[in-house]
């Protein structure tokens, strides 16, 4: 017989959700009561949980399994009616969104720190998604945080661990538990959007070679099922396809540095035709043509411009959206399609209302995120299938598709410079100073450039009217370039300063220039205005994308 226990606890400082839920070091999460406090705060935010239905699972990183067991016991003790758990406690983030929507649960809990490394000395994370399948909006995040500040007890069942590996139904303290295979639900959704027959013809053609790097993370089983088993890509197309709790010792971050094995296959003497990688929880994607890196901002614009080639979007797009720091390539597509383009703060949670209200169909971010209203999360494999569908319909390689896009719309050169592990107080001071000065910067000279306008980005949600301020300082220069400053909300140690820079070019002869050189003047001017060297002690970024 299992019994419900009331455990007395005290608040922990700093349980405020960031850009995407709560992310901390494993050592912090595994302290007694730490995870439990946050989970109870979520349940308290939900109100009366009796009879409610919840999905739970994560990206398989260290502590995933133990966390699922704790959440199951707490859900039962709090009176939930049903818990859907991904087999072995695994769920990719987009599959979680798919399952919440398909089975109409009241929400879901995702255990992931996304692209951050995993393992006992690395990172862990937790976030709550609502009944629409999307990340909790800022107001719900605030409500959870408020709960964490006054929490004094949580409820948990005193019971044995549940068996996570067997598909089927069981029971825990009066709550139904169903272990499901989210891969099947997700693959079914993809088959309803894309032309699987045509993509399959492309993939079984042994002259079209592609590679998908799952980076030892959660998308391995999804990519194998869809690309190899259903679409007939040759075995071995998916590399690093077995989820590992420390991601093979690497960072599951789909970029040119971390996805080195993939990058090697896309270059050299016999480069593959198409390559892609996704992150820890499967919502990010990087796509590569033969010897050709496709910037996420360009990828988003290309998908929107070619959506008519994909069966699921044949009826056209209601509108599109991008996060503010993302380049304005998408805006140009929207203009030509005569549809609205929304500019939101960084964070997928800001797209949810727009999708629910039918205002947008496709959206994305510079941080390797693209998605649509098929779920309420960004979706890495979806983007890969979208690209394959465009390649097969247009009969052009990825590189030509992007180049023709630039010729037609002009090119938005884009880069992001990250200054990692900097002193949090100094970083905050730097941003604060920029904010204070922003409104008076217009007209000032910075190096070779003159500032046309500057502001501190604020957003009012057009659906519910909620306002979000302090979302990044924007500086517009007189050569049409733009620099944006903000602090990352996903790190687990010190602060990361992000400097984004983009510049529009329409001269067809200037479409193939080096991005860093093209943006050098604006980057330097931005660095001087902000005093990056002075505040961070750094003269160069740690990561450039
Ligand atoms: C999360 C958010 C994204 C955001 C990214 C980077 O992605 O869902 O919307 O663009 O973090 O955020 P920041 O610049 O604050 O670090 P993910 O894939 O980490 O969940």
């Amino acid at each position: 017989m299992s019994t419900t226990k009331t455990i007395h606890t005290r608040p922990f400082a700093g349980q405020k959700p960031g850009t995407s839920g709560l992310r901390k070091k494993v050592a912090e999460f595994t302290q007694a009561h730490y995870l439990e406090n946050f989970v109870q705060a979520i349940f308290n935010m939900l109100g009366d949980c009796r009879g409610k239905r919840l999905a739970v699972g994560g990206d398989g990183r260290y502590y995933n399994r133990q966390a699922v067991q704790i959440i199951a016991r707490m859900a039962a003790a709090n009176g939930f009616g049903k818990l859907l758990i991904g087999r072995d406690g695994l769920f990719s983030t987009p599959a979680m969104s798919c399952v919440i929507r398909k089975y109409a649960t009241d929400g879901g809990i995702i255990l992931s720190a996304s692209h951050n490394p995993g393992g006992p000395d690395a990172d862990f994370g937790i976030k709550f998604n609502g009944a629409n399948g999307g990340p909790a909006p800022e107001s719900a995040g605030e409500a959870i945080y408020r709960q964490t500040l006054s929490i004094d007890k949580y409820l948990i069942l005193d019971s044995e661990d549940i068996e996570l590996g067997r598909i089927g139904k069981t029971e825990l303290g009066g709550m139904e538990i169903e272990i499901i295979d989210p891969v099947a639900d997700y693959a079914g959704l993809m088959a309803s959007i894309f032309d699987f027959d045509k993509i399959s013809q492309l993939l079984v053609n042994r002259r079209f070679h592609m590679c998908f790097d799952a980076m030892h993370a959660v998308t391995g089983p999804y990519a194998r099922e869809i690309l190899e088993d259903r679409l007939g890509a040759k075995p071995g197309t998916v590399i690093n396809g077995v989820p590992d709790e420390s991601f093979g010792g690497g960072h599951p971050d789909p970029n040119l540095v971390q996805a080195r094995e993939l990058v090697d296959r896309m270059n050299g003497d016999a480069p593959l035709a198409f390559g892609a990688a996704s992150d820890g929880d499967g919502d990010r994607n990087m796509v590569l043509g033969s010897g050709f890196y496709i910037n996420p901002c360009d990828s988003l614009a290309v998908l929107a411009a070619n959506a008519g080639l994909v069966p699921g979007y044949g009826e056209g797009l209601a509108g599109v959206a991008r996060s503010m720091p993302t380049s304005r390539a998408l805006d140009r597509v929207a203009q030509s399609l005569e549809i609205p383009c929304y500019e939101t703060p960084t964070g997928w949670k800001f797209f949810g209302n727009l999708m629910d209200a039918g205002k947008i169909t496709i959206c994305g971010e510079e941080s390797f995120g693209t998605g649509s209203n098929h779920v309420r999360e960004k979706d890495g494999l979806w983007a890969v299938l979208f690209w394959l569908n465009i390649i097969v319909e247009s009969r052009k390689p990825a590189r030509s598709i992007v180049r023709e896009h630039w010729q037609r719309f002009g090119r938005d050169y884009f880069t992001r410079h990250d200054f990692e592990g900097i002193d949090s107080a100094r970083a905050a001071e730097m941003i604060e100073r920029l904010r204070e000065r922003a409104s008076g910067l217009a007209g000032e000279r910075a190096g070779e450039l003159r500032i046309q306008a500057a502001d501190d980005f604020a957003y009012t949600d057009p659906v519910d009217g909620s306002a979000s301020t302090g979302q990044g300082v924007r500086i517009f220069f007189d050569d049409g370039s733009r620099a944006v400053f903000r602090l990352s909300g996903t790190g687990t140690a010190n602060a990361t300063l992000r400097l984004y820079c983009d510049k529009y070019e329409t001269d067809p002869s200037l479409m193939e220039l080096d991005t860093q050189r093209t943006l050098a003047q604006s980057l330097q001017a931005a660095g001087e205005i902000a005093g990056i060297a002075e505040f961070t002690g750094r003269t160069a970024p740690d990561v450039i994308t």
Side-chain angles (χ1 to χ4, degrees):
M1 238 328 251
S2 47
T3 50
T4 294
K5 286 172 56 174
T6 301
I7 308 289
H8 295 284
T9 184
R10 280 217 295 264
F12 287 92
Q15 290 199 321
K16 188 175 171 63
T19 309
S20 183
L22 186 68
R23 290 185 192 168
K24 300 283 178 194
K25 292 282 172 213
V26 165
E28 197 162 348
F29 256 110
T30 50
Q31 298 171 80
H33 313 308
Y34 191 90
L35 173 73
E36 290 85 344
N37 272 19
F38 193 76
V39 172
Q40 189 66 54
I42 295 173
F43 293 166
N44 292 350
M45 179 274 295
L46 287 173
D48 185 357
C49 296
R50 280 173 301 173
K52 283 200 160 77
R53 294 148 51 86
L54 191 72
V56 65
D59 64 11
R61 67 180 56 233
Y62 182 83
Y63 198 51
N64 187 108
R65 278 178 165 269
Q66 294 93 316
V68 168
Q69 297 287 358
I70 290 170
I71 294 167
R73 285 202 280 268
M74 290 184 64
N78 278 273
F80 276 85
K82 177 159 182 171
L83 196 60
L84 284 166
I85 306 179
R87 179 167 41 195
D88 296 323
L90 298 178
F91 251 117
S92 80
T93 288
M96 169 63 85
S97 190
C98 161
V99 161
I100 291 173
R101 296 170 68 78
K102 181 170 175 181
Y103 298 103
T105 72
D106 296 289
I109 292 179
I110 304 178
L111 304 164
S112 172
S114 187
H115 54 292
N116 295 10
D121 301 321
D123 297 346
F124 191 76
I126 176 169
K127 73 169 182 167
F128 178 72
N129 279 28
N132 72 345
E138 270 194 331
S139 53
E142 276 296 324
I144 294 170
Y145 178 52
R146 279 198 302 277
Q147 290 288 341
T148 69
L149 295 175
S150 59
I151 193 159
D152 58 2
K153 60 176 180 300
Y154 61 85
L155 302 180
I156 190 161
L157 212 65
D158 189 11
S159 62
E160 296 288 302
D161 277 359
I162 45 178
E163 167 64 70
L164 295 175
R166 223 183 3 250
I167 303 280
K169 290 184 180 167
T170 164
E171 185 262 356
L172 182 70
M175 174 181 77
E176 184 183 330
I177 288 187
E178 186 170 357
I179 309 288
I180 61 165
D181 175 17
V183 175
D185 290 315
Y186 178 81
L189 178 61
M190 292 301 108
S192 73
I193 297 172
F194 300 105
D195 192 332
F196 268 29
D197 288 341
K198 284 200 181 148
I199 298 175
S200 173
Q201 284 163 24
L202 178 76
L203 294 184
V204 297
N205 173 348
R206 297 298 181 215
R207 278 173 309 174
F208 183 90
H209 295 294
M210 75 163 282
C211 175
F212 180 90
D213 189 349
M215 306 196 78
H216 305 281
V218 80
T219 35
Y222 295 83
R224 282 225 174 103
E225 163 78 20
I226 294 173
L227 297 173
E228 296 183 6
D229 298 348
R230 293 205 187 193
L231 295 170
K234 71 169 188 283
T237 294
V238 178
I239 61 170
N240 302 317
V242 180
D244 174 70
E245 64 177 24
S246 58
F247 306 117
H251 288 223
D253 193 353
N255 62 35
L256 293 174
V257 177
Q258 302 299 338
R260 202 166 311 135
E261 191 176 345
L262 169 73
V263 172
D264 288 346
R265 292 182 191 211
M266 298 308 299
N267 294 285
D269 294 341
L272 304 178
F274 185 69
S278 63
D279 67 335
D281 58 330
D283 56 1
R284 295 184 175 210
N285 74 91
M286 173 177 70
V287 285
L288 303 169
S290 217
F292 190 74
Y293 167 71
I294 303 173
N295 185 284
C297 308
D298 284 338
S299 176
L300 170 63
V302 167
L303 298 192
N306 293 282
L309 299 176
V310 175
Y313 306 98
E315 289 179 4
L317 308 178
V320 292
R322 62 165 172 83
S323 65
M324 180 273 282
T326 303
S327 92
R328 291 158 285 178
L330 182 67
D331 307 36
R332 310 184 201 292
V333 175
Q335 203 178 1
S336 101
L337 292 173
E338 297 181 356
I339 54 172
C341 179
Y342 298 87
E343 185 177 40
T344 60
T346 293
W348 204 262
K349 55 182 177 257
F350 293 100
F351 295 132
N353 274 353
L354 298 172
M355 288 196 256
D356 287 349
K359 289 183 179 298
I360 60 166
T361 311
I362 285 178
C363 52
E365 298 183 277
E366 49 68 40
S367 55
F368 296 90
T370 16
S372 87
N373 59 357
H374 66 289
V375 289
R376 293 293 182 272
E377 283 281 3
K378 56 190 188 250
D379 190 343
L381 254 178
W382 167 89
V384 173
L385 292 166
F386 206 128
W387 266 99
L388 290 171
N389 212 147
I390 293 175
I391 290 169
V392 73
E393 284 293 349
S394 66
R395 297 167 195 260
K396 287 175 191 154
R399 172 195 283 259
S400 309
I401 293 170
V402 175
R403 285 188 164 148
E404 285 174 23
H405 185 95
W406 291 340
Q407 296 295 331
R408 181 172 165 210
F409 293 98
R411 177 173 178 186
D412 288 88
Y413 284 91
F414 175 89
T415 191
R416 188 178 96 187
H417 286 199
D418 293 337
F419 300 80
E420 296 181 337
I422 57 178
D423 181 75
S424 301
R426 290 292 281 163
E429 210 181 310
M430 193 194 103
I431 293 290
E432 202 40 54
R433 203 182 69 148
L434 268 174
R435 272 188 190 134
E436 282 163 8
R437 289 168 58 216
S439 58
L441 283 174
E444 273 190 28
R445 285 209 76 83
E448 297 295 301
L449 302 173
R450 188 180 291 278
I451 300 170
Q452 231 164 33
D455 66 3
D456 187 10
F457 183 63
Y459 176 70
T460 302
D461 186 300
V463 180
D464 65 14
S466 57
S468 306
T469 55
Q471 297 294 328
V473 174
R474 308 188 283 187
I475 299 174
F476 299 89
F477 296 109
D478 59 353
D479 66 344
S481 63
R482 176 186 73 154
V484 175
F485 291 92
R486 61 179 283 279
L487 298 180
S488 162
T490 55
T492 55
N494 298 327
T496 293
L497 168 69
R498 303 208 194 284
L499 164 58
Y500 314 77
C501 187
D502 64 338
K503 184 178 181 187
Y504 184 45
E505 182 57 68
T506 50
D507 181 344
S509 69
L510 299 176
M511 293 290 161
E512 308 277 343
L513 304 176
D514 178 75
T515 298
Q516 296 307 318
R517 225 174 293 158
T518 306
L519 298 175
Q521 219 177 36
S522 315
L523 285 163
Q524 188 170 346
E528 282 169 17
I529 297 163
I532 293 183
E534 175 195 338
F535 278 97
T536 70
R538 305 282 173 79
T539 50
D542 300 277
V543 181
I544 294 180
T545 42

